[in-house]
Amino acid sequence: MTAHAPAALPHGSPTSVELRRVRVDLVEPIVAAHGTESVREVVVVRVVGPDGTSGWGECDALLRPTYTSEWQDGAWAVLRDLLAPAALTGVPHGVVGHPMAVAALETALVDLALRGEGRSLAAALGATSTRVASRAVVGIGPVDDVVAAVARRVESGHRAVKLKIRPGHDVAPLRAVRAAWPDLVLAADANGSYDLAAARDVVRALAALDLHHLEQPLGRGDLLGHAEVRRSAPVPIALDESAVDLDAVATAAALGAVDLVNLKPARLGGPSDSLRMRDLLVERGLTGFCGGMYELGIGRAAALAVAVLPGLDGTADLGPSDAYVRHDITPSIVLGADGTLGVPDGPGLGTEPDPDRLEAATVEHASIR
Ligand code: MG
């Protein structure tokens, strides 16, 4: 594949690294084709520079390896035993895989450097706008519950909504939502839950519903199947679980398997790899949008800085903090009346944890020097 110039983000040199497992109750359980989550537990990474400045990152691996193969206990061990020691000595970490752990540490190192320079992450990435349209994601449930959930999101200002779907729970909820809101920007995410025959059937049934995109109908490895679905699909096909790295997206593009990519900075390995992915999409005539991993405030700020990059489509599957948690560890990110979210301004990520909330939410702590 094409060689990509290294993204030029500065990395700070820490003298210590602190890890915290942080647990926050979700406002409501998240139900998707890959499972149900009722608490959000992340690893918060703090790197401290020689002058005492802190840089922050967040590892968004789930508690169990049900979404990708990465999971929190593994990420914790990789961060504590390999990534943090490597960051302290300045040697390449040599870790294969574990992109969410790598992303957390890279975000913290970049945040540390940018706070020292007084520059925001969004500016360092080359962002030209400061706000992005927030697409609310509504989980699987009875059709009446789905319609009620969409109504709450629309009332709070959202103009774009994505429904989680799976076989047997697809056309009916989408049709009900479309009937109630003819102008809503509506998308569907199957999380890879269809086989090829069922995917062909469902895209035909969705033709009249004017969907913005159908995301990941087939399994992550089935790029040939996605190409086949896309050839006959009356709806743009987005890849999420399949869009694990640059090679996968380059292959999908060559096969004609994709229109849009759900670009998740945490899953890609951090801000530098997000920038490389954006460059690849532009080069191949594709577009994309920033996706979410149910981030807490640090991860959400890092994702928002990527979400506003030119070349992406100006929407993001990122919501306001209060759609997920009652008390975030950082100041809340709030939805504007026009359904957009602003990137926190200020140096680096533009946000940091409230010390009391961070302490109250911490369930385990490790310090690496
Ligand atoms: Mg998805």
Side-chain angles (χ1 to χ4, degrees):
M1 65 170 290
T2 311
H4 290 273
L9 289 175
H11 289 65
S13 301
T15 54
S16 66
V17 180
E18 182 181 281
L19 305 177
R20 289 169 180 263
R21 286 196 213 238
V22 164
R23 184 180 298 160
V24 180
D25 287 334
L26 289 165
V27 173
E28 54 189 57
I30 296 160
V31 183
H34 53 78
T36 300
E37 305 272 335
S38 57
V39 297
R40 188 67 176 109
E41 202 175 300
V42 303
V43 179
V44 170
V45 178
R46 178 190 199 179
V47 296
V48 182
D51 65 353
T53 303
S54 293
W56 298 91
E58 176 182 316
C59 178
D60 292 306
L62 299 181
L63 285 171
R64 292 174 302 282
T66 52
Y67 177 65
T68 72
S69 62
E70 206 169 0
W71 63 318
Q72 197 196 78
D73 284 346
W76 176 265
V78 164
L79 279 161
R80 182 194 58 203
D81 299 341
L82 297 167
L83 297 177
L88 292 173
T89 53
V91 298
H93 55 68
V95 170
V96 173
H98 300 277
M100 294 190 235
V102 170
L105 189 67
E106 199 219 1
T107 302
L109 295 175
V110 170
D111 186 41
L112 176 64
L114 291 174
R115 283 179 201 268
E117 295 176 15
R119 211 158 45 117
S120 74
L121 176 60
L125 286 166
T128 51
S129 60
T130 58
R131 303 191 71 85
V132 66
S134 169
R135 181 166 35 238
V137 180
V138 171
I140 289 168
V143 171
D144 289 350
D145 292 0
V146 169
V147 171
V150 173
R152 288 196 297 276
R153 304 296 196 273
V154 170
E155 278 158 25
S156 68
H158 288 283
R159 295 171 187 182
V161 170
K162 182 166 90 176
L163 300 192
K164 294 287 191 182
I165 63 169
R166 66 182 171 210
H169 176 90
D170 41 33
V171 181
L174 286 165
R175 198 175 275 158
V177 170
R178 176 51 83 214
W181 294 277
D183 299 325
L184 189 68
V185 180
L186 181 61
D189 184 3
N191 290 108
S193 56
Y194 290 79
D195 62 25
L196 184 55
R200 280 207 204 91
D201 289 345
V202 82
V203 294
R204 269 196 295 274
L206 299 179
L209 297 178
D210 187 25
L211 294 189
H212 183 266
H213 64 263
L214 170 63
E215 186 167 321
Q216 196 73 39
L218 307 174
R220 76 183 57 214
D222 195 0
L223 297 180
L224 290 171
H226 279 105
E228 206 167 309
V229 170
R230 181 170 170 268
R231 274 196 290 278
S232 61
V235 50
I237 298 295
L239 292 182
D240 178 4
E241 285 88 341
S242 296
V244 287
D245 57 24
L246 295 171
D247 287 333
V249 170
T251 304
L255 291 171
V258 59
D259 295 288
L260 307 94
V261 163
N262 185 335
L263 191 164
K264 292 181 169 164
R267 189 183 56 194
L268 280 176
S272 293
D273 282 328
S274 301
L275 207 45
R276 292 185 189 103
M277 181 64 85
R278 188 282 312 267
D279 292 347
L280 174 68
L281 296 179
V282 170
E283 185 188 301
R284 302 298 158 97
L286 304 174
T287 188
F289 53 87
C290 186
M293 290 283 305
Y294 305 111
E295 291 87 353
L296 296 183
I298 297 166
R300 197 163 295 274
L304 279 168
V306 169
V308 293
L309 283 181
L312 302 186
D313 76 358
T315 67
D317 292 349
L318 299 168
S321 307
D322 67 5
Y324 305 95
V325 294
R326 214 157 275 118
H327 299 292
D328 207 330
I329 55 170
T330 62
S332 292
I333 289 164
V334 298
L335 190 69
D338 61 352
T340 64
L341 298 172
V343 185
D345 47 19
L349 295 173
T351 193
E352 58 189 5
D354 174 90
D356 293 337
R357 284 192 193 162
L358 181 63
E359 193 57 40
T362 297
V363 295
E364 189 174 350
H365 183 272
S367 198
I368 301 101
R369 290 173 188 282

